[in-house]
Amino acid sequence: MIRNLICTALTLCLFSGMQGQDVARGATEHPAASGKSLDDIDRESFRAGPSPLEMPGERMTEINPRSAGKYRPPHEMSLGGTWQMVEDTGDRTDWKAAIPAEVPGCVHAALLAANVIEDPTVGMNDSIAEQYSYKGWWFKRNFRYDGNWKNVRLSFGGVANKCTVYLNGKELGRHEGMFGGPDFMLRDELVKGDNELEVRLEAIPYLGPAASPFATSWIGTVVANCVYGWHYAKIPTLGIWRDVVLQEVPDRRFEHPCVFTRDTDGAMRLLVTLPEKVERGTLRLVVAPKNFEGKSQAYRYDIEGKSGTLALDFEIDDPKLWWPNDYGEQPLYTATVSLDAGSGVKDVQSLRFGIRTIEMRPLPSGAREDLYNWTFVVNGRPIFMKGANWCLMDVMMDLSPERYERFLKTAKDQHLNLLRAWGGGLSETDTFYDLCDELGLMVMQEWPTCWNSHNTQNLDVMRETVIRNTLRIRTHPSLALWAGGNESSEPFGEMIDMMGRASIELDGTRAFHRGEPWGGSKHNHDSWWMDLHLNNALNMEAIFWGEFGMPSLPVKESMERYMNGEPFRYPLPPNSVFEHHAPTFGAWQDMRRLFREVSFFVEPTSLDNVILGSQLAQTIGTRRALERARTLWPERSTGALYYKVNDVYPGLSWGSIDYYGAKKPTHYFVKRSLSPCAPVILFDRTNLTRQEVELPYFLLDDTLSLKGKNATLHVDVYDIGMNKVYERTDEIVPDAQVEKLPAIRLDSEQTTSPLLYFKTDILDESGRVVGRNWYIENFDSKQGAIFEAPRCPLRVEQDRNRVRITNVSETVPAVAVSVEVPGEADRLDLSDNFLWLDPGETVVVEMNIESPATVTSWNMAQ
């Protein structure tokens, strides 16, 4: 029965786009505004206690920072590094067969490094690697303890998934749940000198080949579930994937320090918990700029006979506000909190924070009981959410800072300001949140549930996950919203209520949503899963898009890394590597859908064509839906999150950046479409042939950079022979974020061409182009039409990392001008790509490397 429920929920997700899951239970279809929102109703139903900002606060006394004193933080020793790993054979084990294993890491990474398995991301090697998830493993680390620490805690940041821990042969305890723990206070188990730490990992339960991938063992526990075979990858994570730390614990200590913003004038609150009563002591706080120049401030609070949670208020002079990407800077502060409560080690902890407020307001039409408040308001300013989904970054659990930085900086470059850390992935790491703080990327953090699995997952394990991780990440300014999980059709019950109460009682500064989609948000992948035409993606509307998009193949260079030498053939032979690296491993007609999408543009007879056609389908299905959502702000749409930025595994996927880090064309088209200042033409269909049309035309200016200034908008429309069939110039003085201009009207003669090109520019008062978009239409009326434009010569000059490209033609635009650096796709960053160049126009593309570049276009003269 459980399996059937999970499969039914997943079917709703994949094949109906969850369109029916956006109305609260019991609500009428279109209730009038009542003054009460679904947020209000949910909060009442959770019966939560007061939030940290609702607690009565006590004032801290400001002091001279020099008088705050400096204390040595408690000792801490990482036990990460090289461990030993061996298969659990059932009789404790024979360590002579052990291989090295890096911690943090996973079993499969250790097996690969030791040449026990081939690279699981190549060919069909994942099917071999998967079998090692269904074995038990032992990890061992020897270390020396030379300190005289009075109290010592052994803390595991994350173990996947069930483990038993031993120190010097003594069992410390067992633990289940991937996202933090276990923790052990050590006594006589720890000795001065040499110690031996062992961790036994239980095998991931294997339910047999007939089990549905949507009803495997993940539905009973708490893990990153997207690697269990329902999508993307089928290598269930097993390993010690976060650091292991030995910590000194002071006799008088505090826990879970957090700084909350009470208002943007600098009124702040420090929250700390005293686990034991402190008869007499002093709590000191020093606040210092982290990434900008400024003065430090310090405060003190005298404790007399108190325990539990303290809410302490203080003021920051001349506060520097944290803003989302494109709306301002991201100044960060460091708070150092110290407790002096008698002799011995003083407890000292540091954390980062930013000064910003976030609230959710209803649409301009007012609050409704079936809708969440969907208008994000940051520091008092309503902001349209331009975002994307974010998944587990690597099936092999390479969660290095370098890898995070690669993908998150790319998201920033796209002008994204909100990422959805969705319920198939992680309760994200400190590294992720630190970088999001620095880059201005806000986060919707979901708990690891999908498709009603909250009804079958272990409540105690989930409760620990929610509480531990809420306390861990709540201080980050980038954290914007909590959510119960991914695509549950009935997000109700004890587990969801627990999540809602925790979000209020432990935080309360961010909204909590029962699930996603819910309460006005929608998901839609019907152009893929329901075989609908791309026109579906051009006409979608939602108050808030939590997911939508199209899959595409990665760049050819990336495909060559995982195809294991297999040549592309059309039609595909059975059991090909090409098909294996598809959304459902080829099980649900992945290839039929792929070739259908490709055939809109080109014949799917070569690998180059299939790559290009799939990437164009993804580009059109993604960027045009984003543009439509932006034009509906603020009355009918407040945000859109396409699916998705990154990939957990290489192959045919929805990511705009592939698994290796190479950027697909979608990245650059989305970057232009989400630019703070962008001209946008809306299309409700891809084929306008011989039709009279009126195309909505907009200037979008998120930050009002052109408000009150003279601006010029220009539109050109070309046929397949690059004959101009329409041209228009508008002189305006913009006044709003969304400026609707007169529609672009074309008659049936102007649309008769088998391909139409649309190009639109915004020019500022000086005549400088500050925004450009270009589109193709009618492409599905003739395969290969994109290559039939008249040839256009380009002049290319490279000076180190700057590529200067000139369209030498006097009459023919250059279309889809692309810069590549052979062999460097996974690390190449370009200031722009897939460009439109007017006749005689010159652009300079900046690269992050200085290797020789190659320039091509759809109509480049050879």
Side-chain angles (χ1 to χ4, degrees):
M1 181 63 178
I2 290 174
R3 183 175 303 166
N4 290 337
L5 286 173
I6 293 292
C7 290
T8 300
L10 185 79
T11 302
L12 282 171
C13 156
L14 296 181
F15 297 112
S16 71
M18 296 293 287
Q19 291 287 2
Q21 306 305 320
D22 59 334
V23 179
R25 181 161 57 182
T28 57
E29 186 176 1
H30 293 294
S34 66
K36 182 178 285 190
S37 70
L38 184 54
D39 299 86
D40 300 321
I41 294 171
D42 274 355
R43 174 152 189 156
E44 292 170 3
S45 73
F46 295 144
R47 296 182 174 87
S51 72
L53 289 186
E54 291 171 335
M55 298 170 59
E58 299 182 73
R59 297 288 301 180
M60 300 189 81
T61 301
E62 185 165 3
I63 59 176
N64 190 314
R66 295 180 182 177
S67 68
K70 293 184 178 180
Y71 302 99
R72 174 186 65 80
H75 289 102
E76 184 170 291
M77 179 170 66
S78 170
L79 299 182
T82 303
W83 291 45
Q84 295 296 303
M85 183 185 87
V86 69
E87 184 180 344
D88 182 8
T89 57
D91 56 353
R92 191 59 188 261
T93 200
D94 177 12
W95 285 104
K96 293 180 181 178
I99 62 173
E102 293 301 309
V103 172
C106 70
V107 165
H108 305 93
L111 294 170
L112 175 60
N115 297 315
V116 176
I117 61 173
E118 299 293 327
D119 188 344
T121 66
V122 172
M124 297 185 182
N125 294 336
D126 60 322
S127 299
I128 299 172
E130 176 195 356
Q131 304 309 311
Y132 291 88
S133 294
Y134 309 131
K135 301 175 182 286
W137 297 90
W138 283 88
F139 281 70
K140 180 171 70 173
R141 168 77 150 86
N142 294 101
F143 66 93
R144 288 187 61 81
Y145 169 66
D146 294 325
N148 295 310
W149 306 355
K150 189 171 183 180
N151 305 298
V152 182
R153 176 171 55 212
L154 176 64
S155 181
F156 288 79
V159 180
N161 177 43
K162 296 182 181 180
C163 69
T164 307
V165 180
Y166 301 84
L167 182 60
N168 295 323
K170 299 178 182 179
E171 181 178 327
L172 300 180
R174 303 182 181 188
H175 186 265
E176 176 182 351
M178 181 173 171
F179 299 107
D183 297 322
F184 303 104
M185 291 301 299
L186 303 179
R187 295 174 177 83
D188 57 353
E189 304 94 347
L190 180 66
V191 300
K192 189 171 184 177
D194 294 328
N195 290 264
E196 184 176 78
L197 176 62
E198 293 175 295
V199 179
R200 177 182 177 270
L201 300 182
E202 293 186 25
I204 301 297
Y206 180 59
L207 303 184
S212 165
F214 314 110
T216 51
S217 60
W218 67 265
I219 70 169
T221 187
V222 181
V223 293
N225 59 68
C226 67
V227 294
Y228 276 67
W230 54 261
H231 212 352
Y232 316 118
K234 193 178 181 183
I235 312 175
T237 301
L238 197 60
I240 305 174
W241 68 283
R242 302 306 294 153
D243 200 6
V244 183
V245 180
L246 211 60
Q247 300 168 322
E248 180 183 29
V249 180
D251 285 333
R252 294 291 179 265
R253 66 186 188 277
F254 60 90
E255 297 176 342
H256 316 306
C258 182
V259 174
F260 294 99
T261 303
R262 291 189 292 142
D263 65 47
T264 55
D265 292 331
M268 312 297 292
R269 172 162 289 184
L270 171 67
L271 207 73
V272 296
T273 298
L274 303 175
E276 298 176 354
K277 189 173 184 179
V278 175
E279 294 296 346
R280 188 175 297 275
T282 301
L283 198 70
R284 293 180 176 86
L285 168 67
V286 178
V287 173
K290 171 69 177 177
N291 59 355
F292 65 96
E293 295 294 326
K295 69 175 185 176
S296 298
Q297 291 180 254
Y299 316 83
R300 69 176 285 164
Y301 174 79
D302 294 324
I303 305 171
E304 293 186 5
K306 291 193 175 183
S307 62
T309 299
L310 302 179
L312 307 175
D313 294 337
F314 63 98
E315 306 282 338
I316 292 180
D317 297 336
D318 188 24
K320 301 293 186 287
L321 301 185
W322 186 96
W323 289 96
N325 185 29
D326 284 337
Y327 283 86
E329 301 299 320
Q330 292 79 43
L332 298 169
Y333 293 83
T334 299
T336 302
V337 187
S338 59
L339 173 62
D340 187 346
S343 60
V345 177
K346 311 297 190 292
D347 198 358
V348 181
Q349 299 183 44
S350 293
L351 63 145
R352 301 193 324 177
F353 70 93
I355 302 176
R356 71 105 183 88
T357 58
I358 185 165
E359 58 179 306
M360 306 296 287
R361 294 178 186 167
L363 299 177
S365 57
R368 279 175 31 187
E369 293 183 0
D370 66 329
L371 294 182
Y372 287 124
N373 292 331
W374 276 110
T375 304
F376 289 74
V377 181
V378 181
N379 299 330
R381 180 172 184 172
I383 293 177
F384 182 87
M385 292 293 102
K386 300 181 294 188
N389 284 250
W390 174 268
C391 76
L392 171 62
M393 195 167 53
D394 184 17
V395 68
M396 299 293 285
M397 301 307 287
D398 177 2
L399 305 180
S400 63
E402 295 77 18
R403 191 168 174 83
Y404 268 119
E405 187 172 15
R406 169 70 182 165
F407 291 105
L408 290 173
K409 282 189 172 180
T410 301
K412 177 183 176 68
D413 187 53
Q414 280 184 18
H415 301 291
L416 303 184
N417 56 26
L418 180 65
L419 298 178
R420 176 188 173 220
W422 114 123
L426 300 180
S427 296
E428 267 295 350
T429 66
D430 295 331
T431 302
F432 170 85
Y433 274 102
D434 285 345
L435 283 167
C436 287
D437 289 346
E438 295 166 10
L439 298 173
L441 298 171
M442 297 196 298
V443 182
M444 177 196 301
Q445 178 66 67
E446 293 185 1
W447 298 118
T449 68
C450 289
W451 311 306
N452 297 323
S453 65
H454 59 275
N455 292 323
T456 58
Q457 290 173 285
N458 185 296
L459 177 61
D460 291 334
V461 175
M462 184 64 78
R463 181 183 290 109
E464 181 195 25
T465 297
V466 169
I467 292 174
R468 175 188 288 268
N469 288 281
T470 299
L471 294 171
R472 177 178 62 87
I473 65 178
R474 63 183 179 176
T475 195
H476 289 278
S478 57
L479 178 61
L481 183 68
W482 304 104
N486 177 61
E487 294 179 344
S488 290
S489 60
E490 288 288 321
F492 297 92
E494 188 176 4
M495 186 175 289
I496 300 297
D497 288 348
M498 175 272 295
M499 295 173 182
R501 281 194 300 274
S503 73
I504 297 168
E505 294 177 356
L506 301 180
D507 180 4
T509 64
R510 301 151 176 108
F512 170 79
H513 290 177
R514 290 181 173 274
E516 176 54 50
W518 200 257
S521 64
K522 292 183 180 180
H523 293 186
N524 190 314
H525 297 280
D526 291 356
S527 289
W528 180 259
W529 294 117
M530 296 294 288
D531 290 327
L532 297 186
H533 193 278
L534 278 172
N535 290 342
N536 168 72
L538 275 55
N539 290 278
M540 303 186 311
E541 288 191 15
I543 293 169
F544 187 88
W545 282 115
E547 269 193 37
F548 68 90
M550 287 289 293
S552 79
L553 291 167
V555 302
K556 188 174 184 179
E557 194 173 293
S558 295
M559 293 195 66
E560 291 170 346
R561 293 176 67 168
Y562 70 76
M563 287 287 288
N564 205 26
E566 177 185 275
F568 175 81
R569 297 185 180 93
Y570 181 80
L572 283 174
N575 302 316
S576 68
V577 171
F578 187 98
E579 185 174 24
H580 186 73
H581 285 253
T584 62
F585 315 98
W588 287 354
Q589 303 184 50
D590 292 323
M591 296 301 99
R592 179 185 62 79
R593 292 190 173 91
L594 170 65
F595 295 138
R596 171 180 172 272
E597 299 299 327
V598 171
S599 296
F600 288 145
F601 304 92
V602 290
E603 293 186 19
T605 52
S606 70
L607 182 59
D608 287 337
N609 274 9
V610 174
I611 292 173
L612 176 62
S614 72
Q615 290 178 347
L616 288 175
Q618 182 186 55
T619 294
I620 288 172
T622 304
R623 58 90 67 115
R624 295 197 187 185
L626 287 169
E627 290 177 346
R628 180 173 291 275
R630 286 187 73 186
T631 66
L632 300 176
W633 165 265
E635 288 83 7
R636 292 158 56 192
S637 180
T638 66
L641 313 183
Y642 76 86
Y643 190 81
K644 55 192 169 115
V645 174
N646 60 321
D647 285 338
V648 67
Y649 190 77
L652 174 63
S653 172
W654 279 254
S656 61
I657 318 158
D658 70 30
Y659 171 79
Y660 303 106
K663 298 174 180 177
K664 301 179 185 179
T666 297
H667 166 80
Y668 295 99
F669 283 95
V670 166
K671 177 180 177 178
R672 286 191 285 270
S673 293
L674 294 186
S675 173
C677 189
V680 165
I681 304 171
L682 296 188
F683 302 85
D684 62 3
R685 53 199 180 276
T686 62
N687 199 320
L688 310 176
T689 305
R690 298 184 180 89
Q691 301 170 56
E692 293 184 5
V693 294
E694 290 188 9
L695 305 175
Y697 185 34
F698 295 87
L699 165 60
L700 305 177
D701 187 9
D702 291 340
T703 58
L704 299 175
S705 61
L706 297 179
K707 182 176 181 180
K709 302 176 182 178
N710 294 318
T712 303
L713 280 91
H714 187 81
V715 181
D716 291 319
V717 183
Y718 296 86
D719 66 13
I720 194 170
M722 283 301 177
N723 303 299
K724 193 177 293 187
V725 299
Y726 179 91
E727 181 177 11
R728 192 176 101 197
T729 299
D730 295 281
E731 304 286 346
I732 67 169
V733 180
D735 187 56
Q737 289 178 239
V738 179
E739 290 278 357
K740 187 171 185 179
L741 288 82
I744 297 169
R745 292 180 171 85
L746 303 177
D747 61 32
S748 58
E749 288 297 318
Q750 291 170 304
T751 61
T752 191
S753 174
L755 190 71
L756 289 175
Y757 300 94
F758 292 76
K759 190 268 297 187
T760 175
D761 289 335
I762 303 174
L763 294 81
D764 64 13
E765 291 178 314
S766 67
R768 180 175 62 96
V769 175
V770 293
R772 169 174 290 179
N773 256 327
W774 65 274
Y775 308 83
I776 54 172
E777 283 285 298
N778 297 4
F779 51 81
D780 49 347
S781 65
K782 183 180 181 183
Q783 285 183 334
I786 60 174
F787 299 123
E788 293 188 11
R791 301 296 94 181
C792 174
L794 300 177
R795 182 171 64 246
V796 179
E797 304 162 288
Q798 182 172 350
D799 180 14
R800 303 181 68 176
N801 71 324
R802 293 167 59 87
V803 181
R804 184 181 177 89
I805 309 168
T806 300
N807 179 358
V808 179
S809 173
E810 296 180 357
T811 57
V812 178
V815 185
V817 177
S818 175
V819 179
E820 299 176 357
V821 177
E824 301 285 1
D826 60 344
R827 71 184 189 100
L828 179 63
D829 291 330
L830 301 171
S831 57
D832 205 351
N833 210 10
F834 302 98
L835 303 162
W836 176 285
L837 266 66
D838 285 330
E841 185 176 13
T842 296
V843 297
V844 175
V845 175
E846 295 187 357
M847 309 189 300
N848 63 326
I849 55 180
E850 298 182 2
S851 303
T854 300
V855 176
T856 60
S857 78
W858 289 351
N859 64 331
M860 182 176 177
Q862 299 300 321

